[in-house]
Amino acid sequence: MSRVFNFSAGPSMLPLPVLEKVQAGLTDYNGTGMSVMEMSHRSKPYQEINDKAESLLRELLSVPDNYDIIFVQGGASTQFEAIPLNICVNRKADYIVTGNFAKKAFKEAGKYTDARCVADSSDKNYTYIPKVNRKDFREDADYVHICFNNTIFGSHYSYIPDTGDIPLVADMSSCILSEEIDVSKFGVIYAGAQKNIAPAGVTIVIVRKDLQDKYQPICPTMLKWETQIKEKSLYNTPPCWSTYVAMEVFQYLKDNGGIKAMHDIDVMKANLLYDYIDNSSFYSNGVEKESRSIMNVPFVSPSPELDAKFVSEAAKAGFVSIKGHRLVGGMRASIYNAMPVEGVEKLVEFMKKFEIENK
Ligand SMILES: *Cc1c(COP(=O)(O)O)cnc(C)c1O
């Protein structure tokens, strides 16, 4: 077996022990004589998977009792429209735009509510997180939306904006499970699975109970959080396989020390890369230091030509999908939980070698 180090921003690596475990049960899950992919979502074995996924996630993130967790479809992008359709009292919502996904969420919301951008970091190509405080928000805003980790630009909030009584809604698609979070500071947290959880297909939404009956009358049944909350995520056929793998990833994290232990490793991996980049005169990362992501690390070499050469030589050496997003250029190493420390160590070695050969 030969596995590459996959630095893709998503879909991305999954922990090898989890892949092996789900492979072992692929044709016969727990003596059922079938795979989870072939199983009725109303069957007892699947009900157990669904329940366990919920309870393990609740435990890992210490989700308080006044929040519900649902597993839905449509990716994080579908939540961009679900949010303004679900939380609408005064028909006003404030957005902080720190990157491409935050901008998409803001634009989508404008179709269903009076969405206002209260802060934006596009002036420096999203290399920082704007400082905001309470008075920046409209007092009667229904919610404030942030993107906690900006996958494309490699930035992350170093603070949780103080929105007072206004519910804070956060897209955590590319950082969930990499850090302990105080869920009680948020009204809604959502994340697509394919970055740091499971295969694409399932999206996690954590919703505070008081925000579950504020939907617009036109809110489609399938986008209404209340629908899936009442039905325990089984209103319609769920993405069973993706939820199953998510459950196994949650179990794996729990067995390996939980989020705190994972976070320490994630910080260590990110520091390996940032320390090397910061001490090099060849590579650079333009993100303001206090707002750097530990999950997505963009960097450039001295020229676009060398960037292209780096990407192609890296792929030959077994470091794949390291090309930066077209909006940023250069390279981007996405180093989610499943990226082994060894993958980052070997990448740094490769970067050193490339620097010497191309200086
Ligand atoms: C990938 C990503 C999205 C889009 O997710 P889909 O599941 O493809 O809709 C949204 N927000 C962030 C922060 C992401 O990283």
Side-chain angles (χ1 to χ4, degrees), residues 75-77 80 101 147 149 151 171 173-174 194-195:
S77 303
F80 296 167
F101 291 117
C147 181
N149 185 79
T151 323
D171 179 354
S173 294
S174 51
Q194 71 275 22
K195 311 300 174 32

Side-chain angles (χ1 to χ4, degrees), residues 174-313:
S174 51
C175 59
I176 195 157
L177 307 181
S178 71
E179 60 194 315
E180 292 178 297
I181 40 170
D182 181 355
V183 173
S184 73
K185 295 238 155 63
F186 300 87
V188 178
I189 292 170
Y190 66 102
Q194 71 275 22
K195 311 300 174 32
N196 210 18
I197 309 172
V202 72
T203 301
I204 287 163
V205 190
I206 304 174
V207 193
R208 209 171 65 202
K209 287 196 187 289
D210 63 297
L211 299 172
Q212 298 173 5
D213 61 357
K214 307 206 175 330
Y215 46 83
Q216 300 191 24
I218 57 147
C219 181
T221 306
M222 276 297 290
L223 294 190
K224 199 189 287 178
W225 297 326
E226 190 193 56
T227 308
Q228 295 290 12
I229 290 165
K230 282 192 173 150
E231 301 290 334
K232 292 198 162 298
S233 306
L234 295 171
Y235 169 75
N236 69 321
T237 317
C240 298
W241 179 253
S242 182
T243 305
Y244 165 56
V245 180
M247 183 275 275
E248 292 291 3
V249 168
F250 300 153
Q251 185 66 54
Y252 173 79
L253 288 172
K254 184 183 166 183
D255 294 344
N256 286 278
I259 306 291
K260 172 80 178 72
M262 200 67 244
H263 178 70
D264 291 345
I265 298 170
D266 288 336
V267 168
M268 196 253 279
K269 287 189 299 188
N271 284 343
L272 275 174
L273 260 177
Y274 285 123
D275 288 347
Y276 174 62
I277 292 168
D278 289 344
N279 287 311
S280 144
S281 55
F282 188 82
Y283 301 103
S284 61
N285 164 286
V287 179
E288 168 190 77
K289 277 194 183 161
E290 67 165 312
S291 304
R292 283 173 166 179
S293 167
I294 58 167
M295 296 278 98
N296 310 98
V297 182
F299 58 96
V300 292
S301 74
S303 73
E305 293 70 32
L306 282 172
D307 289 343
K309 189 175 174 197
F310 183 101
V311 170
S312 117
E313 289 190 7

